[in-house]
Amino acid sequence: MPDAYRRTLTRQMSQHAHSEIVGMLPEGNWIGRAPSLRRKAILLAKVQDEAGHGLYLYSAAETLGTSREEMIEALHSGKAKYSTIFNYPTVTWADIGAIGWLVDGAAIMNQVPLQRTSYGPYARAMVRVCKEESFHQRQGYEIMMHLCSGTHEQKRMAQDAFNRWWWPSLMMFGPPDENSPNTAQSMRWRIKRETNDELRQKFVDITVPQAEAIGLTIPDPALAWNEAKGGYDFGEIDWEEFYAVVRGEGPVAKERMKARRDAWEQNAWVREAADAYAAKRAEKRRAA
Amino acid sequence: MPKDWPLWEVFVRSKGGLSHRHVGSVHAPDPEIALRHARDTYTRRMEGVSLWVVPSASIIASDPSEDAAMFDPAEDKIYRHPTFYNIPDHIKHI
Amino acid sequence: MAVELNLLTVLPGFPGGGPRVAWWRGGAQRRAWLLASLAPSTAFQAVPSPANAGEDKLMPSLPPIRPEDEVLAKERRGAGTFDAPAAEGPDPSLFEYALRLGDDSLILGQRLSEWTGHAPSVEVDLSLANMALDLIGQATHFLNYAGEVEGKARDGDALAFHRDVLDFRNCMLVEQPNGDFAQTMARQFLFSTWQKMLFQHLTGSTDTFIASVAAKAVKEVTYHQELAQEWVIRLGDGTDESRRRMQDGLEWNWRFVPELFEMDELAIEAASRGVAPDLTAFRGDYELAVRSVIEEAALDLPQSQRPILGGRRGHHSEHLGHLLCTMQFLPAPIRMRHGSLGPEARRGGASLVGACKRSGS
Ligand SMILES: [Fe+2]
Ligand SMILES: [Fe+2]
Ligand SMILES: [Fe+2]
């Protein structure tokens, strides 16, 4: 395996894994406050799935020789990146709908081609991930659907969440092709199958009718159907904001990193204790 | 640097009669917890009826750089395959 | 480890502890005894008599208590107190009993889900979420059933999200804060060991619905019990730090164990109808199970203390209110259509809209 290929793969898989794990936090913020027992169970199961996805991906990345410990260390030191979308706050219940629908929707679009990626363990992890993702987007859209057919307050909340999550969702496909340093090489290695802009266009074309169907307004005055290309034209993405969030200047970036570091460091004693117990037991067995 | 637990490979039997298949790995301090972690990670959707966990360090793998020496010699042993033999059509049950 | 694990003997007159055992076998007699022990009689005796009420110099701002007030108070004894049932209905005690089962699972599920995203490892995160999901599932069954039994068009959601502290019927153990991972596992171990034994008995309940839920749930809870037990042992017999934390976690939760075995009037009635087991039937098994794990974990058995009771009748710790603040955060207008709030809400929910002024943000 060429070294550059291994490095790129490890980077891509570990960043993907980190995104799943950090991605638990914005939605985790609402498990305790979900509006019904059914919603509580759904959201908890969904966030738990994301933990599972993180695990599948860490475990695939570990087959290339980098330990999870090293990957986590890279995340906590800021060396490794994760999806910028999770540095936005979830302020109302409607955000849970918007995230499932838009963020998981965009993620699925990014991930489906990866099931055929050239590295076996990554591809197999992605098959599993994609299978589990299928309910995530639907439960999010269902929340939005219910809110949009509800009271004035519910509709207002849904539109507000949609306004806030629309643009960050489009950013999830990464910088424009002319500005994406890794895309060409990754396509050649077949660890990426479609360009950022191609996927973004596909997402807009699929999502706009879904929004309109439940009476949401797309927060983009430039949005217009383009008959010639058979897709929507849409407004300029604020790439300044994107790069700022990549740099760690997202609204809740500090909260996210602190939560992850705290979970890891403040519970180090648990991991040590279990190791100590295992060592004691092994010692006893040797003595017996 | 806070440490992580050892790595275990996880194998799941999806239903009775099938063999266990490798599905991924978990970190765990010992065999019992490794089984629990495997169950809680890889069988949340009724994917399994039986689980194996094996310390990753115990797995001995063939060396990819020796693929040729390991596997190519089997290539020309075509007489190991039933289609190698010509039997007239009117001979049945063979 | 010479301390006797004697969870209940210190409760004055609590059945099952030594000499009181005899009480346990008498039917009407034990009922009368328990009624007497639970009635808030001393509170009423403390009311100053009319003769000296006017001369009460200590609290001059209080109006004097008139003879008719005292008569009224005597007549209404029990009504409006915490010992009164949370609702009338065709079968108030079955309603109450279903609430106890549902609230135990709901509150513990809520607590466990607080760990999501913050556990010691991603794998442990998944384990805790699995337990929470099991518990929320149980709560949904039991609370929906409670609503049905009550017959007032309340479903599980109405009960979970529209009751205040005084109407919750969970034991105080489950509402205890997570603390660190050791405290969470101590709580889980003490509770799941009990819940497993309870559900094993409930599979034979004369109430077929409760029996069927218990049959499914007992498998879930068996897993919780084993997982928690393994962690208690690892943390107890791990490092010095983990041992200290595990001991602290055990000490924190120990006070609330006797409540699990409390046979109050309602529990006695449920047992006499065969709906629920006599909790004392498996108290000995429980003590043995807990003691053997504590020993294996090289932990010390906490000292018995005077039991803390009240959760089953709505007298909770300070923690439950804060838990409800979170769980019931969303106002009814936002909660509507997200699952159901019962038929009246489904009809439009006019009475619920505007019931809460908080915005959803
Ligand atoms: Fe995911
Ligand atoms: Fe993902
Ligand atoms: Fe997802």
Side-chain angles (χ1 to χ4, degrees), chain A residues 22-176:
Chain A
V22 178
M24 296 170 70
L25 298 168
E27 287 177 290
N29 184 32
W30 278 92
I31 294 170
R33 294 181 291 171
S36 69
L37 295 171
R38 173 172 173 267
R39 285 288 167 204
K40 190 186 287 294
I42 291 171
L43 183 58
L44 179 52
K46 192 232 179 228
V47 175
Q48 185 202 38
D49 273 354
E50 308 300 4
H53 300 170
L55 265 185
Y56 307 157
L57 288 159
Y58 279 133
S59 123
E62 280 181 287
T63 60
L64 290 174
T66 311
S67 73
R68 193 197 302 177
E69 209 166 275
E70 291 171 279
M71 291 187 261
I72 289 177
E73 198 53 35
L75 171 70
H76 293 181
S77 70
K79 227 178 348 165
K81 299 287 176 224
Y82 57 92
S83 183
T84 54
I85 194 88
F86 302 118
N87 290 329
Y88 292 89
T90 49
V91 287
T92 73
W93 168 249
D95 290 40
I96 300 309
I99 289 183
W101 173 32
L102 300 173
V103 176
D104 285 77
I108 291 168
M109 207 154 268
N110 271 326
Q111 289 168 1
V112 163
L114 293 175
Q115 295 178 91
R116 295 176 291 124
T117 193
S118 57
Y119 185 59
Y122 192 17
R124 287 196 293 275
M126 289 320 299
V127 168
R128 215 185 168 90
V129 167
C130 287
K131 214 189 310 166
E132 298 188 357
E133 283 291 346
S134 58
F135 97 80
H136 295 183
Q137 193 187 14
R138 292 173 70 94
Q139 63 87 34
Y141 190 70
E142 194 191 66
I143 291 175
M144 292 304 258
M145 219 165 66
H146 285 169
L147 289 172
C148 286
S149 64
T151 61
H152 170 74
E153 290 142 290
Q154 287 174 313
K155 278 185 216 157
R156 179 174 151 246
M157 190 183 261
Q159 181 67 52
D160 175 70
F162 186 54
N163 293 350
R164 282 181 289 110
W165 290 95
W166 172 253
W167 291 105
S169 300
L170 297 191
M171 294 176 195
M172 280 179 73
F173 297 94

Side-chain angles (χ1 to χ4, degrees), chain C residues 39-94:
Chain C
S41 53
T42 46
F44 280 90
Q45 281 156 14
V47 172
S49 74
N52 61 18
E55 299 149 21
D56 190 348
K57 301 283 191 304
L58 291 173
M59 292 188 185
S61 62
L62 283 179
I65 291 176
R66 300 161 303 169
E68 55 267 40
D69 293 332
E70 204 182 19
V71 171
L72 200 67
K74 273 191 184 132
E75 272 172 12
R76 302 280 300 272
R77 173 174 296 201
T81 72
F82 302 113
D83 299 333
E88 307 293 320
D91 193 345
S93 58
L94 182 59

Side-chain angles (χ1 to χ4, degrees), chain A residues 208-224:
Chain A
V208 168
Q210 292 171 352
E212 286 170 347
I214 53 176
L216 289 171
T217 309
I218 297 27
D220 178 2
L223 187 97

Side-chain angles (χ1 to χ4, degrees), chain A residues 1 6 63 119, chain B residues 60-72:
Chain A
M1 185 183 287
R6 177 192 298 268
T63 60
Y119 185 59
Chain B
I60 296 147
S62 61
D63 182 347
S65 68
E66 278 168 28
D67 275 2
M70 289 286 279
F71 307 113
D72 288 358

Side-chain angles (χ1 to χ4, degrees), chain C residues 125-141:
Chain C
D125 219 303
L126 281 144
S127 296
L128 295 171
N130 268 345
M131 288 199 280
L133 281 168
D134 289 341
L135 289 161
I136 291 165
Q138 294 163 15
T140 307
H141 288 305

Side-chain angles (χ1 to χ4, degrees), chain B residues 17-72:
Chain B
L18 297 182
S19 53
H20 285 76
R21 254 187 54 204
H22 182 246
V23 290
S25 58
V26 291
H27 287 255
D30 57 61
E32 290 85 4
I33 300 282
L35 268 178
R36 303 227 176 260
H37 286 175
R39 180 258 198 189
D40 286 332
T41 303
Y42 292 101
T43 66
R44 284 171 293 130
R45 285 178 167 77
M46 302 183 297
E47 292 98 331
V49 295
S50 164
L51 272 175
W52 288 350
V53 291
V54 179
S56 304
S58 307
I59 292 198
I60 296 147
S62 61
D63 182 347
S65 68
E66 278 168 28
D67 275 2
M70 289 286 279
F71 307 113
D72 288 358

